[in-house]
């Protein structure tokens, strides 16, 4: 995920010289050629700098106020309107309904950082950028002098990577979409990118198209939507560092690397989500963000289906985009007027796999269901992250958490999928009770996260009438209840009679409110 490296390390070490001297040479040659990239797959080239920039279209940035997306708009509206490259127009696009209905997705952070598997997916930056003593000492203790980050790449083997097995785990988690890190801030691409010569999964490491293999498995064996994360910047890319030194008044990195990669993954893999990250303090104008999103909405092969997030430049997050992420682990605990997503990771300290993680570092299934309930109640989706190992295994503790989420959702999913926020998000009497509502509001769901003492549950928010019917999702018996001002009192059956653990759902039909 993203962070702040505005004081980026200059590429003056022997490691970076070895890795990137060739980049400067081919970039200079390419810049002299004055080529342009059109909105089609570029021809095969010797290096990823042979194809240059998209035609620049000036964006109308006079009105930067956020525009609430109409979640009730029909998808047919998306097919008929063309959008201009400014936020006023782009924010007017209705959010495709599948995304709001889905509620729950899986995030996968995987890359060369999965080889050292120490600290976090920011390992390279902490070692060579921030020069944190903990990471320097780790390398001194465990690796020979002169070992570089590039030397980790051949060890990113993925020999146990089985995309069909991953797809089965994700399907049985109850998730409705996945988002894979196609490229993190280290710049290594999980697909054979034309713009990442010798720093991609086909050229070095597993020698296969990791993105393409998972996309095929997901689409052929599940009904999940396939999405891709993409980092706009790269920590140590000299063209990015050059643009940064120029206060982002030049766009060599964007034109030669970022934008061509984005077009490449959309045209090749047709993701239903483009999850952008790593704007690093540069404005959206530097990243050509609105031009790309306008193409995505108007002319791309996923124009009717695709959704995007809000990380497209400094000041854009939580203000513009198809859905808001605002920050990592964002959960406001209240209803927001714009669709949002809570991205969080099972390992509380890292998005990538960590060999030195302890059991206490992982969120429990109860904590994850609590996070899901509170997120959906307040109008959000939850994107839950796992970090596979360098050899392609989803660790048993991650798999267990995902399967237990699926077990809970098999019983209680009607309180999550295709729901909408109710007039109350949490209860007025009893803590840890979160509400959702069916579309149209005929049915309200109360998700309670702790079994009440003496099997008595008091709810203050619902207003009942003679037509009200109350039951427990997944339980066939009747529920006794009485009006007990200022709310209602339910007498529940024994907890041992419930079909699910961790949390339970009261279904309330035909309420007054």
């Amino acid at each position: 995920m993203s962070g702040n490296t505005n004081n980026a390390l200059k590429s003056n070490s022997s490691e970076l010289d070895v890795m990137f001297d060739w980049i400067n040479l081919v970039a200079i040659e390419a810049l002299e050629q004055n080529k342009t990239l059109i909105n089609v797959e570029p021809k095969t080239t010797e290096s990823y700098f042979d194809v240059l920039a998209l035609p620049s279209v000036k964006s109308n940035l006079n009105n930067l106020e956020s525009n609430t997306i109409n979640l009730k708009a029909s998808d047919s509206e998306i097919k008929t309107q063309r959008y201009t490259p400014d936020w006023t127009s782009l924010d007017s696009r209705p959010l495709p309904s599948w995304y709001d209905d889905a509620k729950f997705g899986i995030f996968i952070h995987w890359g060369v950082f999965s080889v050292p598997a120490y600290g976090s997916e920011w390992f390279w930056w902490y070692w060579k950028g921030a020069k944190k003593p903990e990471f320097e000492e780790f390398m001194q203790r465990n690796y020979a002098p002169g070992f570089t980050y590039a030397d980790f790449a051949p060890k990113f083997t993925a020999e146990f990577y089985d995309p069909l097995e991953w797809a089965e785990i994700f399907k049985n988690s109850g998730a409705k979409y996945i988002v894979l890190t196609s490229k993190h801030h280290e710049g290594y691409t999980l697909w054979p990118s034309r713009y990442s010569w010798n720093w991609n999964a086909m050229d070095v490491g597993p020698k296969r198209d990791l993105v393409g293999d998972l996309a095929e498995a997901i689409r052929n064996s599940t009904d999940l939507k396939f999405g891709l994360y993409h980092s706009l910047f790269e920590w140590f890319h000299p063209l990015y560092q050059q643009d940064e030194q120029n206060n982002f008044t030049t766009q060599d990195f964007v034109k030669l690397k970022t934008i061509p990669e984005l077009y490449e993954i959309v045209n090749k893999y047709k993701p239903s989500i483009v999850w952008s990250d790593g704007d690093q303090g540069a404005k959206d104008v530097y990243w050509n963000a609105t031009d790309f999103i306008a193409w995505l909405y108007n002319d791309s092969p996923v124009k009717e289906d695709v959704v995007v997030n809000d990380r497209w430049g400094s000041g854009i997050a939580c203000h513009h985009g198809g859905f808001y992420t605002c920050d990592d682990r964002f959960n406001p605990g209240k209803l927001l007027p714009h669709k949002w997503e809570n991205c969080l990771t099972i390992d509380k300290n890292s998005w990538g796999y960590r060999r030195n993680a302890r059991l206490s570092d992982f969120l429990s299934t109860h904590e994850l269901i609590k996070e899901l309930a509170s997120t959906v109640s307040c109008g959000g989706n939850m994107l839950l992250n796992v970090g596979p190992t360098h050899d392609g295994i989803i660790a048993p503790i991650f798999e267990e958490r995902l399967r237990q989420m699926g077990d809970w959702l098999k019983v209680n999913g009607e309180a999550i999928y295709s729901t909408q926020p109710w007039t109350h998000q949490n209860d007025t009497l009893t803590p840890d009770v979160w509400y959702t509502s069916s579309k149209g509001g005929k049915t309200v769901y109360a998700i309670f996260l702790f079994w009440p003492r003496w099997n008595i549950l008091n709810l203050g928010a619902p207003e009942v009438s003679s037509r009200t019917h109350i039951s427990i999702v997944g339980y066939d018996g009747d529920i006794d209840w009485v009006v007990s001002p200022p709310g209602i009192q339910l007498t529940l059956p024994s907890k041992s009679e419930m079909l699910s653990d961790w949390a339970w759902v009261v279904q309330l039909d035909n309420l007054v409110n």
Side-chain angles (χ1 to χ4, degrees), residues 72-93:
K72 297 181 179 179
S74 67
D75 290 346
S76 62
E77 294 180 48
I78 301 172
K79 303 177 183 179
T80 58
Q81 182 176 346
R82 289 190 65 82
Y83 301 92
T84 54
D86 59 87
W87 289 116
T88 300
S89 176
L90 298 175
D91 287 347
S92 71
R93 178 182 183 256

Side-chain angles (χ1 to χ4, degrees), residues 106-121:
I106 302 298
F107 217 172
I108 307 120
H109 272 65
W110 201 27
V112 173
F113 51 80
S114 306
V115 178
Y118 177 81
S120 83
E121 71 288 350

Side-chain angles (χ1 to χ4, degrees), residues 329-508:
R329 304 173 181 87
F330 175 72
N331 188 349
K334 63 181 181 180
L335 183 63
L336 297 184
H338 191 103
K339 186 64 186 181
W340 59 279
E341 184 178 76
N342 176 7
C343 60
L344 71 157
T345 188
I346 295 174
D347 179 347
K348 292 178 281 189
N349 298 314
S350 176
W351 299 83
Y353 176 74
R354 288 191 306 142
R355 292 180 292 161
N356 60 326
R358 299 292 182 262
L359 182 61
S360 59
D361 293 334
F362 299 98
L363 292 172
S364 68
T365 302
H366 180 266
E367 289 173 315
L368 295 174
I369 291 172
K370 179 178 181 179
E371 200 73 25
L372 178 64
S374 62
T375 295
V376 174
S377 177
C378 296
N381 281 17
M382 188 173 90
L383 185 63
L384 181 62
N385 179 75
V386 297
T389 63
H390 76 279
D391 47 13
I393 293 174
I394 295 175
I397 194 165
F398 292 142
E399 180 178 352
E400 179 190 55
R401 294 292 191 271
L402 295 184
R403 292 192 184 278
Q404 288 177 339
M405 291 290 291
D407 291 342
W408 188 84
L409 284 164
K410 285 173 186 174
V411 176
N412 301 290
E414 66 179 270
I416 299 295
Y417 305 124
S418 300
T419 59
Q420 65 186 26
W422 189 45
T423 53
H424 294 263
Q425 276 60 67
N426 42 26
D427 194 59
T428 56
L429 284 180
T430 302
D432 290 308
V433 176
W434 293 91
Y435 290 100
T436 63
S437 171
S438 64
K439 291 183 178 179
K442 181 180 178 181
T443 300
V444 171
Y445 300 99
I447 305 169
F448 59 105
L449 297 163
F450 294 95
W451 194 264
R453 189 179 183 186
W454 312 121
N455 299 335
I456 299 297
L457 179 63
N458 293 290
L459 299 177
E463 297 177 15
V464 298
S465 72
S466 59
R467 297 179 59 248
T468 298
H469 180 263
I470 300 177
S471 59
I472 293 183
V473 174
Y475 176 72
D476 293 332
D478 294 328
I479 300 298
D480 293 328
W481 61 276
V482 296
V483 175
S484 179
I488 57 175
Q489 184 178 90
L490 285 67
T491 301
L492 305 178
S494 170
K495 182 181 176 182
S496 64
E497 298 182 62
M498 297 297 98
L499 293 180
S500 62
D501 296 316
W502 308 295
W504 306 267
V505 178
V506 174
Q507 179 174 329
L508 305 107

